[in-house]
Amino acid sequence: MKTKTLKKDKVNIITLGCSKNMVDSEVLSGQLLANDIDVVHESAKRDHNIVVVNTCGFIDKAKEESINTILEQVELKQRGKLDKVYVTGCLSERYRGDLESEVGGVDAWFGTMELPLLLKKLEADYKAELVGERLLSTPSHYAYLKIAEGCNRTCSFCAIPLMRGTHVSRPIEDLVLEAEKLVKSGVKEIMLIAQELTYYGLDLYKKRRLGDLLRALAGIQGLEWIKLHYAYPTKFPMDILDVMNEFPNICNYLDMPLQHASNAMLKAMKRQITREEIEELVHNIREKVPGICLRTTLIAGFPGETLEDVEELKQFLERMRFDRVGVFTYSHEEGTSAYGLEDDVPAAEKERRAQEIMEVQQEISLEKNQEKVGQIFKVIVDKKEAGRYLGRTEFDSVEVDNEVIINTTKRLKPGTFVQVKITKAFDYDLEGELI
């Protein structure tokens, strides 16, 4: 007897953390559907009897959210609202032993690479032939495409290799097949993701082949936008910029996490690059692709960071004038090489430094947005919210970047492209009229 009411099983997948986790959940959903098992993403309804929590274990805040979510689902099970609670993902991979002994009520724990075992527990067979079959949890007009798993870098702050293993590229033909299926289902925009995009191909083909993959994807009919996320600056493959220039559907957008600009911090973080080399790289990228949008992320409060390091980082931002910047506070993660250092910047001071850095960027962002007033941009319509349509230009990625407020009395369909003349600029958003 599967459930008390003899109803068919229905699985609700709750995804925490990054877009890479989201793709894993979508793949799990596709496998369950192929096994004729009902599945939903993050359903608010109480019509499911099984929950799978796909956890994040990256930094303290993410771990806390994952544990709270697990406890909430276990409580629902104890109240008779659920039959089973399963846990997978990064937190489970990293701390399974501790979690099993400390958190009761979970029916089984799985690591990041144990999809077949999880499916077996859900009375489903893993179907290897289902390349690219996913149940999207995003709106139907955009999707993430994970081109590789794991990471070979040894950045001292990062626990990802502990949870995801070493870098494993997916074959070009599999990725093209998956992208074609996504486009056939209505996807117009694909965001390429990996722990590190620019390493792509080295393990599989013995050379970097991100440029070749981009060429293959750019040829897919109906794929209007391709965006690149998480490019590593060291040994950056400049050939991908030629491909960007060659194909109009590869957006002039690059997400390249730099983490810091002080040489002392870059060395302590084991980033294998200096501030001078970063500045030269940024200059060369902008020279090759004029008008490219550069997004980066930074860490505040790494062990040993001084106020001079923070000042140097702020001056670096003022010189480089990135289009998009995110700032995280350092999280002291066991198992990383930085864990042996003293976490000597208090939490409140980390937050203060992060805020100070973001204030510098806020001003730059406003100035860059003001330059766009009067210009016309191709905008993808994402959604209608509070009576207004919201969209994005090719220089903006989902959830992390600017939005465009579209003023129109016309009815617009999400996923369509429109021309918008920018009339107003804010710190992080634009407003414009439909042309």
Side-chain angles (χ1 to χ4, degrees):
M1 190 166 87
K2 283 187 179 177
T3 72
K4 296 182 183 82
T5 55
L6 290 173
K7 281 184 183 174
K8 189 179 173 187
D9 282 343
K10 187 169 187 177
V11 180
N12 180 30
I13 302 173
I14 300 171
T15 308
L16 304 164
C18 66
S19 51
K20 294 177 279 293
N21 258 18
M22 188 189 290
V23 170
D24 291 346
S25 291
E26 291 173 352
V27 169
L28 169 60
S29 302
Q31 290 278 347
L32 290 173
L33 281 180
N35 279 275
D36 198 30
I37 294 172
D38 286 345
V39 59
V40 287
H41 284 289
E42 313 207 0
S43 173
K45 293 179 185 174
R46 291 271 182 251
D47 60 348
H48 51 270
N49 65 314
I50 297 171
V51 162
V52 175
V53 183
N54 189 357
T55 58
C56 177
F58 186 45
I59 56 175
D60 288 341
K61 285 177 187 170
K63 287 186 272 192
E64 194 179 318
E65 184 187 16
S66 292
I67 289 166
N68 287 341
T69 304
I70 295 165
L71 294 174
E72 282 166 14
Q73 298 309 310
V74 165
E75 192 195 341
L76 287 171
K77 181 187 161 191
Q78 287 166 345
R79 284 166 43 203
K81 306 282 186 186
L82 293 172
D83 293 338
K84 301 282 182 184
V85 175
Y86 299 115
V87 179
T88 185
C90 292
L91 190 81
S92 186
E93 174 76 34
R94 195 172 169 196
Y95 299 107
R96 188 186 319 201
D98 294 338
L99 290 164
E100 280 177 339
S101 60
E102 289 174 29
V103 180
V106 172
D107 293 276
W109 304 83
F110 300 92
T112 53
M113 304 297 172
E114 294 181 323
L115 176 62
L117 293 176
L118 173 53
L119 286 166
K120 194 175 178 186
K121 190 61 88 169
L122 292 164
E123 297 182 21
D125 296 320
Y126 175 67
K127 299 178 188 290
E129 69 276 11
L130 289 177
V131 175
E133 295 292 344
R134 289 156 53 187
L135 175 65
L136 290 185
S137 55
T138 57
S140 60
H141 59 279
Y142 66 79
Y144 296 95
L145 184 65
K146 183 155 63 166
I147 70 169
E149 189 58 87
C151 187
N152 283 15
R153 301 292 178 183
T154 56
C155 302
S156 63
F157 55 83
C158 187
I160 284 171
L162 302 172
M163 300 179 284
R164 292 280 177 176
T166 54
H167 183 100
V168 181
S169 301
R170 294 180 59 202
I172 289 176
E173 54 273 24
D174 286 3
L175 292 166
V176 170
L177 179 63
E178 183 169 340
E180 284 172 343
K181 286 179 179 176
L182 288 168
V183 171
K184 273 183 191 156
S185 75
V187 168
K188 307 283 180 65
E189 175 187 24
I190 281 176
M191 286 152 282
L192 302 194
I193 55 170
Q195 308 304 338
E196 185 200 338
L197 282 186
T198 44
Y199 197 90
Y200 178 79
L202 267 173
D203 57 317
L204 197 57
Y205 306 109
K206 308 306 171 214
K207 62 177 184 175
R208 293 175 189 261
R209 291 197 60 188
L210 181 58
D212 295 336
L213 172 62
L214 285 172
R215 276 195 181 87
L217 293 172
I220 296 173
Q221 207 67 35
L223 179 52
E224 297 234 13
W225 279 357
I226 301 167
K227 285 199 179 88
L228 302 178
H229 281 268
Y230 319 121
Y232 194 83
T234 307
K235 295 184 180 172
F236 182 85
M238 297 297 283
D239 67 298
I240 67 171
L241 303 175
D242 296 325
V243 186
M244 204 178 265
N245 284 328
E246 194 181 332
F247 294 96
N249 59 346
I250 302 176
C251 296
N252 288 347
Y253 178 98
L254 184 65
D255 183 348
M256 187 168 64
L258 296 173
Q259 314 305 4
H260 219 285
S262 148
N263 282 331
M265 287 295 98
L266 290 167
K267 188 177 179 184
M269 289 177 175
K270 298 186 181 175
R271 293 292 288 169
Q272 304 170 311
I273 198 166
T274 64
R275 193 204 73 237
E276 293 79 11
E277 287 167 338
I278 290 172
E279 291 191 3
E280 186 184 356
L281 174 62
V282 170
H283 172 76
N284 291 341
I285 290 171
R286 284 174 167 162
E287 199 169 54
K288 268 209 155 190
V289 186
I292 191 170
C293 172
L294 288 178
R295 153 172 265 282
T296 194
T297 47
L298 305 165
I299 294 173
F302 186 83
E305 184 187 61
T306 64
L307 293 177
E308 287 75 25
D309 293 323
V310 177
E311 279 309 307
E312 188 174 343
L313 182 50
K314 283 155 62 180
Q315 287 164 18
F316 169 79
L317 285 182
E318 282 166 353
R319 275 198 311 280
M320 294 293 99
R321 295 180 65 78
F322 292 101
D323 300 87
R324 317 275 182 257
V325 174
V327 183
F328 296 92
T329 54
Y330 170 74
S331 180
H332 207 45
E333 296 296 316
E334 55 268 77
T336 63
S337 59
Y339 197 65
L341 303 172
E342 187 191 348
D343 187 13
D344 57 357
V345 183
E349 176 62 11
K350 287 177 187 173
E351 293 287 354
R352 190 196 68 76
R353 291 179 189 185
Q355 184 60 33
E356 209 174 272
I357 294 161
M358 273 314 294
E359 280 167 12
V360 172
Q361 181 57 31
Q362 190 173 354
E363 215 168 286
I364 294 166
S365 180
L366 177 60
E367 287 166 8
K368 280 183 166 272
N369 278 351
Q370 284 168 336
E371 290 166 11
K372 293 180 173 69
V373 173
Q375 293 184 45
I376 295 169
F377 291 94
K378 179 182 177 181
V379 170
I380 191 167
V381 180
D382 274 331
K383 59 189 171 183
K384 190 174 187 182
E385 203 172 83
R388 301 191 300 182
Y389 289 100
L390 299 175
R392 290 170 292 111
T393 70
E394 72 169 292
F395 309 115
D396 300 293
S397 209
V398 175
E399 291 180 354
V400 293
D401 293 330
N402 292 1
E403 287 183 315
V404 180
I405 301 155
I406 307 163
N407 290 322
T408 181
T409 52
K410 283 187 182 176
R411 195 172 170 189
L412 302 179
K413 189 182 170 193
T416 53
F417 289 87
V418 293
Q419 295 291 317
V420 176
K421 185 175 183 178
I422 304 304
T423 54
K424 280 185 195 169
F426 307 97
D427 291 346
Y428 298 114
D429 293 316
L430 298 167
E431 189 172 331
E433 306 285 344
L434 189 71
I435 298 291

